[in-house]
Amino acid sequence: MKRIKITDEVKGTFKNNWNFCVGTERMGIALQKEYLDTLEFVRKAINFKYIRGHGLLHDDTAIYREYEIGGEIKPFYNFTYIDRIFDSFLERGLKPFVELGFMPSKLASGDQTVFYWKGNVTPPKDYDKWKGLIQALVNHFIDRYGIEEVLQWPFEVWNEPNLDIFWKDADKAEYFKLYRVTAFAIKEIHKGLQVGGPAICGGADHWIEDFLRFCHKETVPVDFVSRHLYSSKQPKLQTHELVYQDLAEPEDMLKELKAVRELINASPFPGLPFHITEYNTSYTPLNPVHDTCLNAAYLARIISEAGDIVDSFSYWTFSDVFEELDVPRAQFHGGFGLVALNNIPKPTYHMFSFFEKMGRYILYRDESMLVTRKSDQTVTITAWNPEMTKGEDFSKDISIELVLQDGEYFIKRNTVNEQYGNPWHAWIQMGRPRFPVKKAVETLREIARPRVDYDKLSCTGNKLLLELTLSKNEVTFLEISRIKEESETYYRLDDSMIPGY
Amino acid sequence: MKRIKITDEVKGTFKNNWNFCVGTERMGIALQKEYLDTLEFVRKAINFKYIRGHGLLHDDTAIYREYEIGGEIKPFYNFTYIDRIFDSFLERGLKPFVELGFMPSKLASGDQTVFYWKGNVTPPKDYDKWKGLIQALVNHFIDRYGIEEVLQWPFEVWNEPNLDIFWKDADKAEYFKLYRVTAFAIKEIHKGLQVGGPAICGGADHWIEDFLRFCHKETVPVDFVSRHLYSSKQPKLQTHELVYQDLAEPEDMLKELKAVRELINASPFPGLPFHITEYNTSYTPLNPVHDTCLNAAYLARIISEAGDIVDSFSYWTFSDVFEELDVPRAQFHGGFGLVALNNIPKPTYHMFSFFEKMGRYILYRDESMLVTRKSDQTVTITAWNPEMTKGEDFSKDISIELVLQDGEYFIKRNTVNEQYGNPWHAWIQMGRPRFPVKKAVETLREIARPRVDYDKLSCTGNKLLLELTLSKNEVTFLEISRIKEESETYYRLDDSMIPGY
Amino acid sequence: MKRIKITDEVKGTFKNNWNFCVGTERMGIALQKEYLDTLEFVRKAINFKYIRGHGLLHDDTAIYREYEIGGEIKPFYNFTYIDRIFDSFLERGLKPFVELGFMPSKLASGDQTVFYWKGNVTPPKDYDKWKGLIQALVNHFIDRYGIEEVLQWPFEVWNEPNLDIFWKDADKAEYFKLYRVTAFAIKEIHKGLQVGGPAICGGADHWIEDFLRFCHKETVPVDFVSRHLYSSKQPKLQTHELVYQDLAEPEDMLKELKAVRELINASPFPGLPFHITEYNTSYTPLNPVHDTCLNAAYLARIISEAGDIVDSFSYWTFSDVFEELDVPRAQFHGGFGLVALNNIPKPTYHMFSFFEKMGRYILYRDESMLVTRKSDQTVTITAWNPEMTKGEDFSKDISIELVLQDGEYFIKRNTVNEQYGNPWHAWIQMGRPRFPVKKAVETLREIARPRVDYDKLSCTGNKLLLELTLSKNEVTFLEISRIKEESETYYRLDDSMIPGY
Amino acid sequence: MKRIKITDEVKGTFKNNWNFCVGTERMGIALQKEYLDTLEFVRKAINFKYIRGHGLLHDDTAIYREYEIGGEIKPFYNFTYIDRIFDSFLERGLKPFVELGFMPSKLASGDQTVFYWKGNVTPPKDYDKWKGLIQALVNHFIDRYGIEEVLQWPFEVWNEPNLDIFWKDADKAEYFKLYRVTAFAIKEIHKGLQVGGPAICGGADHWIEDFLRFCHKETVPVDFVSRHLYSSKQPKLQTHELVYQDLAEPEDMLKELKAVRELINASPFPGLPFHITEYNTSYTPLNPVHDTCLNAAYLARIISEAGDIVDSFSYWTFSDVFEELDVPRAQFHGGFGLVALNNIPKPTYHMFSFFEKMGRYILYRDESMLVTRKSDQTVTITAWNPEMTKGEDFSKDISIELVLQDGEYFIKRNTVNEQYGNPWHAWIQMGRPRFPVKKAVETLREIARPRVDYDKLSCTGNKLLLELTLSKNEVTFLEISRIKEESETYYRLDDSMIPGY
């Protein structure tokens, strides 16, 4: 039994850097109805402010074409789709965190591609035309949405250029060239527009050092540093539809962030904004861990603490409407999404929605619990119990003593664990139907809701005692609200006279 | 431990007479948005086909007025509101079960009224004008909706004329006169239109005998008999906002219905359709029993069995948007509704929704359980455990052996009891807030959902064994579906490689 | 031919005092679905900020009741309905302009009532209980909506106390007593809450002088003066469903407002905010003029100019869902509404929607036209041609010369006149169906749209010439937007090659 | 002046073969939100029953994949997308008219493709695997939607195999092989499933003769013949974004259909159902004619008459959400759609919606007019005035004498011509903005509505005289409904007392 005493003193602020941004499959897929339905579903529960994904310049947005006009090859910028996509985001209350990539095939210097959807990852064959494209794009955004709006959009140059699958030969010098041309192209339009990079994956932080040194030395504008973060290890088994991996300890993710933060602070740009533009447990959309409670329980600590280290961290991704490794082959398939196909929320979705209901004022925080007070005096608790060891004997008892005003309190508890709020588990029991019929989808949606319990407790001597048991990989949320008892306003009320009560 | 063995032999048909009709507060209130929102909410879960309420001719529908036109008093029939109301019903898939009453004040012979909203309960001062009104009304319905539609609407003459609060002096001869004029007025328009009565409350079944004898003797048309049914006893305590009553045993309701059915069969009109146009536990909208689990558990048997006796029985009423004894004074106040104010479903709503999911083929039925098979072979069970005795030691263990094809089965269970799917109980814990703020309403809605559990069970030797525990006043629903196992289609699937699983 | 030259110089600001507030039938009716649908419909086109109506304290909101509790008569404040109503307003973006009245019957000193719905117009029988009610109400609003919200709600004491139909004996001293008690009751709760009166009808402005003198002399708080304004004369003919009246000239309304404004400025409270809390042509909801184009063309000048004189003026009312003189007896019946029954917009609705699209910067204004520039440089014109004389020969030709940048301009014109955007006229041709079937309602909705025309004009030498003809009682709206010609970006475009073009 | 006398005698039945089916861009695009929004928009006005498009088996539906499983290459059928797509159709009231094609790349014998989206047009490399795919697909449909549903879906084998761009080498023998394998594969599952071909384009009707002879000779099942129909001639000018063509006379289309119908009747399968699974004026999605009034006026005769010849004819296509020749580059771009991008209806959409409102009973029909009576006795007229000659002097005056019961009639007229209901023309005037901002889109939507006029006419001596003028390329719709005059029910009604009326 873990015993915790919590006073009413505020220990800090719970920053909302965790819901600043969320990841998405490529821009072209944002035309789809299920994608947009899921985006609305997510926004109702979690107040993400920005959205970031690949493929803005990919052929399927049609943004860049070339035609022979009077004997000359001329670029044509087609904004039909990208307008529809950005309109959709803004109408749903999300701003774009603009990633500039990949290469339109007409502009590409080679034909190396990445993903099922064949994003071209080679440098531009003509940097003037690239500059022309970037400026046409930014000017179009300003014409359509107004400069005040566009000034709020970060522009990030490319994605993971330190990996040769995303950038030909992982050529650092070429990336710096791309960055320089792009950054100046943007700043030429308006100094206040924000541009950054290098959007690398983990394990290559010398790129960040080199990048900042380069920007400083060559006085290339840089408004933020970006990087990714995944905690999965090398695959243990990998097939065309499944990847299994072990995970590092949750705190390793925090350590990694701190190390980079220090590295930036030691650069010529100390204090430069630092965005984690992708993170998750596993980096593959075929790892079943994404569908589990463990994923939620494991990442809860990151949500709780990482906002103190970085300016934002963007969960990769909000939805299983995702095609990087081909169209999903089953209802659950290890996708990144907070929400599975057919709009079925996963445990990690609920974990995010719990944090959304937390207050600004931290009363207590440790590695498996956050306790806050909201401005209306409600106390909220999110607690989690991740356990990567096999077996079932890992439930945890916690006793919490809260300092509160004397009186009666209403406690509502939402629970997500192996049995509740866990549609993946139910789906396994159903026989893993790849393409469930409507009735099965409805059953899964019903099962996907967290369990709800409630209680009424007394606080005397300014102490309220809560006793919780968290099962293995559970994430639980409690809301503790003071009761204003109105029973005495009912004349001659007597529940004992109700039959059977 | 109760042990039940159920073969796969069909024992009978589960008739849907129980969802033929539902009761409503007076017509005039059907203009309200919350009323209509609740009606849609109810229709999504329960497939009621007709709706019946008082007040069609009440002053607030404005249907009957008189004006001096050129020195003469002339009637004016105003259909502005009734068109809007009936349009609303039909657009939501419900047909009117038309109750003809109360008396427009311009047509009334006296000023005696009933209810907060002052329905006039006196006979017409001029039966010709009454006939004129009825014919204007029916002709208008036919003009607007077509004769094919209106032929499907039963017309019931008045409400509970055997009580002097609803019909001046409970004057039987006067009622028969009203009935005769009305029935002939309607049949003059079209022989196929359906008319019936006498819409009496319980405990006065000689009215039915007299009524049928009267119709026979005087060859007055009658297409159905109607009557009400409440099982509550005399109030133990009654204030301006609370009434406490004991209830008869559930089976007493069934006995009462059978007795009347036999009485009709012994009349000159054996086999005449017999509609219970109102029923519930208590007949007062201030009795907290309506908000309880007991209400659901108590009435489940009626839903299960009464369809074998009567042609329909109409729960009084679908919503707490109700004003007979003044505007509701609190979120929960003992109202009749399946749904409380602010669209919060009560346990009885869930019980109805469980029966909605039952199949046509009865495999087993006793006083506390119904087991059916659906056309898609799913087996569904609704079980209930009503207990009017005080105390908590009334949980019930049941062991059910089902004859099924060998294989794996997915079992989904929905539970409503004191703790789950019971917002009234949570509201008490919250301090009985009369006018809850939005956040409290959202919490109550969340709590109002039944608990959902699921499991996977094997059937071997054609036997599937289910073990259930029903807590006191619980109503539970189980769905047993054969699993088509697809796991083997996933190449090298191995859940043991998922961290923590 | 009227000729107007308009330079690009800004002559003033077009204030939006005209859409500050709109009138509504009593609070109790705001529970209805059609009412709320119409409110949303109106809000999409016209950005009203406040809504004001009678009956907040009327019996049908159930706000005040009395019960015997333990031998004593105690008040009970029931907020079930008023919460639902105010929630509905706020959810639709409207704040209440709170009118305090009429008298709950339990609190009334007499039984004199007004309207079909019987609003009690007598003083409180007990001013302490009245104060208790007012304070309970305001405190409840603050509890539910927060003090920041409620500080923005004006509280107006009673309605037209200078008429004996609205206030027993039109007793001025009694009104001042009511005002004093109410104002102090409110200010006791929070000094910043706004209270005002005397909400009189026109033709009794000595009440305003007396009222302000009284407030000054007795140091009673007053935050605004309110008054009503109708321009109709004595009825020429009046039946139970029709009233015909002549109207004063439109400018008489402006003169009347100026006179009162001066009177306030000459009082001990110069510059006190002055709200016209009701205005229209006729003060009766049975005058067909409300359904006509004339009503729109007549009031256009008031919308154009009155905002320079008064702080707000509230059109009485947004919808024909209205019951003061009984439930409407026909689709069109002379009701006050901007929108007729079945959500069919009237000409005056369109006139309001035209002004909604006007800009802030006045380029030109006369008695029959307003020309503005919007912040996006679009020039918008609303013009009107009211004519109360019989006959058809009143069309008006106008030639407008606008100073603009040289280039091409796209002109869109919306027209409302006898033939277009005028469903009342079509309904007469249809035979005045009192209760139209759905198909007829759809036809009327289709016909109710303004006619849309467009053109392309060149501006050379900084002059753009527009020629308009306004038919009798027409209101027309023009939008003049600069064209950015993109035709040259289409390679080898040649419309002459399209068959038949 | 054309003069027409129309008696009340019924001359025939107006068949709804014209709205049996509509064409669509490939299946994969049906995942998009704008596509589905447009589909709903179209379905509200036009009651299409089936929908047909290419690409069911194209790689982007992911329906066919191959994986190495344990050393063997095995097919995998992925129904994730196709389920979502077909669910969407059925939820919106449309059934699939299933076109089987193109070739999944894993199954293709070559790499020849068609369209921007690269549909593979080569025969299967392995006919057993093709049979496996077809049977897996059909069985999946039956599992998911039930056999009763799927029995109603026609299965059409491939698209335009007579063109080498759609079928390698336009190899007829190979097509017959494909057809045979496919037809038997389907009939093996259920004899009642409907299969047909050869889905050829125009100008190659010997294919139909050969096809039917082949089926007869080799006793291959065939349930229907299908073919396409376009009336445009060779391009006069063709660029990457524009194609100009002349059109044949409208009656040529009818002649062509009759010829094929006779050819089928002379085959071994006389009377076999004959479906035109695609038709339009031009066969290219870059021809501006599709956006014009002429397109509507030109095709009206086909809608009016072709249903007497063929069992269905399917307009190609309902929406400009279309990618065959790359993503659309402008708001209007000559696309096939009834509806342009951003949900803006074109004149042809309105023409279809007019025919939707026609009755079953033909009173009169000629080459430019159809007059019908509906079951509610309303008379409806659609008239059109196509003119492919340049210039403006082609308006047409028509005088129509209708035999009707004496009385008053309400006439509603909807007009689409160069000025009204013609957003393409307005867009040209706006400067052809390729990517219009929201405000411009709203203006275009407003302008896209047909003009609405109405009148009241008297019929005396059983004659009602209508005089119409149709401008060049106008399509007009009239609805003539008998008036039931209720004016006399308004006591002392006198419009002359209304000011200004």
Side-chain angles (χ1 to χ4, degrees), chain B residues 82-138:
Chain B
I82 204 64
D83 283 355
R84 205 187 288 165
I85 293 164
F86 276 30
D87 285 359
S88 295
F89 291 159
L90 292 163
E91 284 164 9
R92 284 163 185 78
L94 288 150
K95 295 181 188 303
F97 195 118
V98 184
E99 178 199 320
L100 297 167
F102 297 114
M103 197 56 61
S105 55
K106 288 287 185 188
L107 202 52
S109 58
D111 55 11
Q112 184 190 331
T113 66
V114 66
F115 297 143
Y116 161 69
W117 43 270
K118 296 189 190 309
N120 185 297
V121 295
T122 67
K125 67 179 175 198
D126 178 333
Y127 272 94
D128 284 344
K129 286 190 166 172
W130 170 261
K131 180 182 169 183
L133 166 59
I134 296 303
Q135 292 198 327
L137 186 70
V138 174

Side-chain angles (χ1 to χ4, degrees), chain A residues 31 33-34 65 67 69 76 78-81 84 91 116 144 323 326-329 435-436 438, chain D residues 31 33-34 65 67 78-81 84 91 116 144 240 323 326-329 434-436 438:
Chain A
L31 298 167
K33 183 176 189 330
E34 180 161 327
R65 297 291 191 256
Y67 299 111
I69 304 278
F76 180 81
N78 186 347
F79 299 114
T80 294
Y81 277 180
R84 206 187 288 165
E91 284 163 8
Y116 161 70
R144 189 170 182 90
E323 289 184 345
D326 204 348
V327 173
R329 290 164 201 82
F435 317 111
K438 292 204 171 186
Chain D
L31 298 166
K33 182 175 189 329
E34 180 161 327
R65 296 291 191 256
Y67 299 111
N78 186 347
F79 298 113
T80 295
Y81 277 179
R84 206 186 286 166
E91 284 163 9
Y116 160 69
R144 188 170 183 90
H240 63 277
E323 287 184 346
D326 205 349
V327 172
R329 290 166 203 80
R434 286 182 178 273
F435 317 111
K438 294 205 168 184

Side-chain angles (χ1 to χ4, degrees), chain B residues 31-34 36 59-60 62 65 67 69 76-81 83-84 87 91-92 116 140 144 240 323 326-330 341 434-438, chain C residues 31-34 36 59-60 62 65 67 69 76-81 83-84 87 91-92 116 140 144 240 323 326-330 341 434-438:
Chain B
L31 298 166
Q32 294 196 2
K33 182 177 189 330
E34 179 161 328
L36 291 166
D59 281 356
D60 73 347
R65 297 291 191 256
Y67 300 111
I69 305 278
F76 179 82
Y77 309 115
N78 186 346
F79 299 114
T80 293
Y81 277 179
D83 283 355
R84 205 187 288 165
D87 285 359
E91 284 164 9
R92 284 163 185 78
Y116 161 69
H140 178 77
R144 188 171 183 90
H240 63 278
E323 288 184 346
D326 205 348
V327 173
R329 290 166 201 81
L341 297 183
R434 286 182 178 272
F435 318 110
V437 293
K438 293 206 169 185
Chain C
L31 298 166
Q32 294 196 3
K33 182 174 190 330
E34 180 162 327
L36 291 166
D59 281 355
D60 73 347
R65 297 292 190 255
Y67 299 111
I69 304 278
F76 179 81
Y77 309 115
N78 185 347
F79 299 113
T80 294
Y81 277 179
D83 284 353
R84 206 186 289 166
D87 285 359
E91 285 163 8
R92 284 161 184 80
Y116 161 69
H140 177 76
R144 189 169 183 91
H240 64 276
E323 288 183 345
D326 205 347
V327 173
R329 289 165 202 81
L341 296 184
R434 287 182 178 273
F435 317 111
V437 294
K438 293 207 170 183

Side-chain angles (χ1 to χ4, degrees), chain D residues 103-113 119-125 168:
Chain D
M103 198 55 62
S105 55
K106 289 287 185 187
L107 203 52
S109 57
D111 54 12
Q112 184 189 331
T113 65
N120 186 297
V121 296
T122 67
K125 67 177 178 200
K168 189 160 175 288

